[in-house]
């Protein structure tokens, strides 16, 4: 598979990094020689200096031999022209585009059906709002991913000493869960990913990922000592486009929302655009303002300004003043490993949301969606099992999956099955697999060749 990436910024760089580790043929195009130098020095990919909207540049970079074009620059207009030129030069190439300006939202269907015939339009701000909404549906979780239209949830929770699962060997899990079958999909311990076996134990401080459906979510959370009470009051810091989208979405779901913004003109626009939202003009890092607005009565504070340092400081201050949950927007990937150490548990990133969505559309075979786990150490794939696949009709315990891969759920005729060793996959089942980064190339190849693991 050959993939052309237009844009060597953070999104382009990290997508190229992920795809390069999977032995794909990747070409990165950008006008900025400094950005290309970073790519060429750190990644095993080709680079091409020039405008990704130039027909000559795209032709010389090999657009006619490319399976996918990813247009992910910071300019919506450049991305749109790149796709239009690609449609003229190589109509068979799939086109994925990142668009941030909400003015284009109403034209998404037209962009697919008419030139430039874009296959997938991704708005990172929309994806980020969805990420926040998923987190707030499960307030005790640090990470939430949904599959099969929300029927399956992969939940990441921090294990504390009071949980009945603390210090338990997984072979004894059924003694605690009884008839309720709980599948532990992954453990993150000391920044290392563990895909567990029965010999592993759960240790206080672990970030534990488990699989459940909506009906059993409350039961599963109770085992970890977590509550699933809904968020009713939210305090948003930052009234930019993301803050406005988020405030509108939460208010429409019945959440009482306050939003603070330091730009008076922006506050006027927020007040005009938002119904049932309290708009405040001020500094979100002002302890006096937070105290005056009774921040301790809020269920959650969500910091989404364009400045990571402001978001981090505001979140820490709000938690110190009594807010139980702080959701912090961070776009610099270098900050991610530090967040847990300084007390930031819920991290969101528009760039990471965009990357997750894009990766779900570039996978080969019958892959329907893809989500990266915290820290991008692993990926969860949702795929369709083909009738001729080797894994169909056999108990899972008799199948030699690649090391670092685990089937964590099966969906059959709208029924959610948490798999056991004797579970059997049938044709047309949707299967959800957790894969370490090292296992992804083999799993993806298996998807493309009818899931034949042998």
């Amino acid at each position: 598979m050959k993939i052309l990436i237009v844009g060597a910024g953070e999104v382009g760089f990290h997508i190229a990094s992920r795809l390069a580790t999977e032995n794909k043929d990747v070409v990165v195009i950008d006008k900025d020689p400094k950005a290309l130098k970073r790519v060429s020095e750190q990644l095993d990919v080709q680079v091409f200096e020039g405008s990704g909207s130039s027909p000559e540049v795209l032709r010389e970079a090999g657009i006619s031999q490319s399976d996918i074009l990813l247009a992910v620059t910071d300019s919506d207009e450049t991305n749109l022209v790149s796709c239009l030129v690609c449609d003229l030069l190589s109509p068979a190439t799939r086109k994925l585009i990142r668009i941030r300006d909400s003015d284009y939202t109403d034209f998404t269907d037209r962009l697919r059906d008419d030139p430039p015939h874009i296959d997938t339009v991704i708005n990172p701000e929309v994806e980020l709002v969805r990420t926040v909404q998923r987190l707030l549906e499960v307030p005790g979780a640090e990470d939430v991913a949904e599959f099969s239209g929300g029927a399956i949830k992969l939940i990441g929770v921090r294990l504390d000493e009071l949980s009945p699962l603390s210090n338990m060997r997984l072979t004894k899990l059924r003694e605690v869960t009884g008839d309720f079958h709980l599948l532990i999909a992954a453990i993150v311990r000391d920044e290392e990913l563990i895909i567990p076996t029965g010999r592993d134990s759960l240790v206080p401080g672990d970030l534990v990922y488990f699989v459940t459906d909506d009906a059993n979510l409350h039961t599963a959370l109770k085992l970890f000592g977590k509550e699933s009470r809904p968020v009713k009051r939210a305090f948003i810091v930052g009234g930019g486009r993301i803050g406005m989208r988020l405030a509108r979405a939460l208010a429409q779901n019945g959440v009482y929302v306050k939003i603070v913004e330091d730009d008076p003109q922006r506050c006027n626009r927020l007040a005009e655009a938002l119904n049932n939202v309290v708009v405040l003009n001020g500094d979100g890092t002002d302890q006096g303002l937070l105290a005056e607005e009774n921040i301790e009565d809020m269920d959650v504070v969500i910091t989404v300004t364009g400045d990571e340092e402001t978001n981090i400081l505001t979140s820490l201050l709000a938690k110190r003043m009594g807010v139980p949950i702080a959701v912090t927007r961070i776009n610099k990937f270098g900050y991610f490993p530090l967040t847990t150490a300084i007390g930031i548990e819920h991290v969101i990133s528009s760039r990471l949301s965009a990357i997750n969505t894009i990766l779900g559309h570039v996978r080969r075979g019958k892959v329907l969606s893809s989500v990266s786990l915290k820290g991008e150490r692993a990926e969860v794939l949702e795929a369709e099992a083909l009738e001729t696949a080797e894994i169909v009709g056999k108990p899972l315990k008799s199948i030699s999956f690649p090391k670092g891969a685990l089937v964590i759920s099966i969906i059959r005729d709208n029924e959610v099955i948490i798999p056991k060793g004797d579970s059997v996959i049938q044709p047309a089942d949707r299967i959800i697999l957790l894969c370490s980064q090292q296992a992804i190339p083999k799993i993806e190849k298996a998807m493309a060749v009818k899931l034949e693991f042998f």
Side-chain angles (χ1 to χ4, degrees):
M1 180 181 286
K2 181 173 182 177
I3 300 173
L4 252 62
I5 301 176
V6 177
E10 288 296 317
V11 172
F13 178 88
H14 280 83
I15 293 174
S17 175
R18 291 286 295 277
L19 297 177
T21 60
E22 300 166 19
N23 301 318
K24 290 184 172 60
D25 184 4
V26 178
V27 179
V28 179
I29 303 171
D30 202 291
K31 294 188 295 185
D32 185 353
K34 291 183 178 179
L36 289 180
K37 183 179 179 182
R38 177 194 179 200
V39 172
S40 62
E41 289 180 347
Q42 298 187 34
L43 307 179
D44 184 18
V45 303
Q46 301 178 63
V47 296
F48 203 97
E49 185 175 344
S51 173
S53 60
S54 163
E56 189 60 30
V57 169
L58 288 178
R59 187 183 291 111
E60 291 183 19
I63 189 64
S64 59
Q65 294 84 41
S66 299
D67 300 283
I68 297 175
L69 172 76
L70 302 179
V72 293
T73 74
D74 289 334
S75 167
D76 293 345
E77 290 73 19
T78 298
N79 295 339
L80 284 166
V81 174
S82 296
C83 290
L84 179 60
V85 174
C86 173
D87 194 50
L88 296 173
L89 297 179
S90 181
T93 299
R94 290 174 56 204
K95 295 171 286 294
L96 283 76
I97 184 174
R98 178 176 73 156
I99 292 182
R100 297 188 295 180
D101 195 328
S102 58
D103 290 347
Y104 292 110
T105 302
D106 295 337
F107 299 95
T108 299
D109 291 337
R110 292 282 300 275
L111 291 173
R112 293 192 185 99
D113 298 336
D114 301 329
H117 297 109
I118 297 170
D119 296 270
T120 303
V121 178
I122 297 162
N123 187 319
E125 295 174 1
V126 172
E127 300 299 329
L128 187 69
V129 170
R130 289 173 181 164
T131 299
V132 174
Q133 289 180 300
R134 287 195 297 267
L135 279 173
L136 298 188
E137 288 175 1
V138 192
E142 289 192 20
D143 210 353
V144 178
E146 294 183 345
F147 300 92
S148 190
I152 296 287
K153 285 183 169 59
L154 180 67
I155 310 292
V157 296
R158 190 70 60 177
L159 186 68
D160 58 46
E161 294 182 354
L162 299 179
S163 168
L165 304 181
S166 180
N167 295 308
M168 173 173 291
R169 197 179 181 97
L170 291 183
T171 51
K172 298 183 179 295
L173 189 61
R174 292 299 292 274
E175 297 177 11
V176 174
T177 60
D179 294 334
F180 173 63
H181 180 52
L182 180 69
L183 189 147
I184 306 297
I187 301 168
V188 178
R189 179 183 301 155
D190 298 328
E191 303 301 321
E192 294 295 329
L193 175 78
I194 302 169
I195 297 182
T197 66
R199 297 184 298 274
D200 291 297
S201 298
L202 301 179
V203 178
D206 284 351
L207 179 59
V208 181
Y209 284 89
F210 66 89
V211 183
T212 184
D213 56 14
D214 279 332
N216 292 304
L217 177 59
H218 181 68
T219 302
L221 287 172
K222 283 186 68 175
L223 288 171
F224 288 92
K226 308 295 181 182
E227 294 292 335
S228 58
R229 58 185 180 86
V231 167
K232 296 181 179 180
R233 300 170 66 86
F235 193 91
I236 300 173
V237 179
R241 292 185 305 193
I242 292 175
M244 180 185 284
R245 283 181 184 273
L246 185 58
R248 181 181 289 118
L250 294 180
Q252 289 174 348
N253 288 334
V255 177
Y256 174 75
V257 179
K258 289 184 178 182
I259 183 169
V260 59
E261 165 62 38
D262 61 2
D263 182 348
Q265 292 185 345
R266 183 66 182 173
C267 284
N268 291 334
R269 183 176 177 186
L270 290 169
E272 293 173 359
L274 299 175
N275 296 321
N276 301 319
V277 173
V278 177
V279 179
L280 305 169
N281 178 221
D283 182 359
T285 62
D286 182 351
Q287 187 170 350
L289 172 66
L290 298 182
E292 185 178 332
E293 295 300 328
N294 300 313
I295 192 71
E296 69 277 3
D297 294 335
M298 293 292 170
D299 297 316
V300 61
V301 62
I302 310 167
T303 57
V304 290
T305 76
D307 184 82
E308 278 96 342
E309 289 77 9
T310 298
N311 294 340
I312 291 171
L313 289 173
T314 306
S315 293
L316 293 175
L317 178 59
K319 291 199 70 174
R320 185 177 179 183
M321 296 178 70
V323 181
I325 303 170
V327 179
T328 311
R329 178 192 178 195
I330 297 176
N331 276 336
K332 293 179 182 176
F333 291 110
Y335 284 178
F336 282 21
L338 305 175
T339 54
T340 302
I342 63 175
I344 300 295
E345 298 173 344
H346 300 82
V347 176
I348 55 173
S349 166
S350 54
R351 289 170 178 167
L352 186 57
S353 296
I355 290 169
N356 281 336
T357 306
I358 290 169
L359 287 173
H361 289 280
V362 302
R363 295 286 174 226
R364 298 169 63 187
K366 283 284 187 175
V367 177
L368 306 175
S369 63
S370 170
V371 173
S372 295
L373 294 192
K374 193 170 185 177
E376 299 182 81
R377 297 173 183 85
E379 197 166 320
V380 184
L381 306 176
E382 180 179 2
E384 180 182 333
L386 302 179
E387 185 175 359
T388 53
E390 288 283 349
I391 63 171
V392 168
K394 297 180 180 179
L396 292 179
K397 61 186 177 183
S398 67
I399 300 173
S400 299
F401 284 96
K403 184 179 180 181
L406 175 71
V407 177
I408 61 176
S409 188
I410 303 169
I411 302 99
R412 179 180 304 144
D413 298 328
N414 295 322
E415 178 189 3
V416 176
I417 301 169
I418 305 300
K420 305 176 185 178
D422 56 359
S423 297
V424 178
I425 296 173
Q426 297 180 5
D429 282 352
R430 285 192 178 191
I431 59 174
I432 301 174
L433 302 103
L434 185 146
C435 315
S436 66
Q437 279 195 344
Q438 294 77 15
I440 288 173
K442 194 169 184 179
I443 286 290
E444 187 183 23
K445 183 179 179 181
M447 298 289 185
V449 289
K450 303 180 182 179
L451 290 170
E452 294 169 350
F453 286 98
F454 304 101

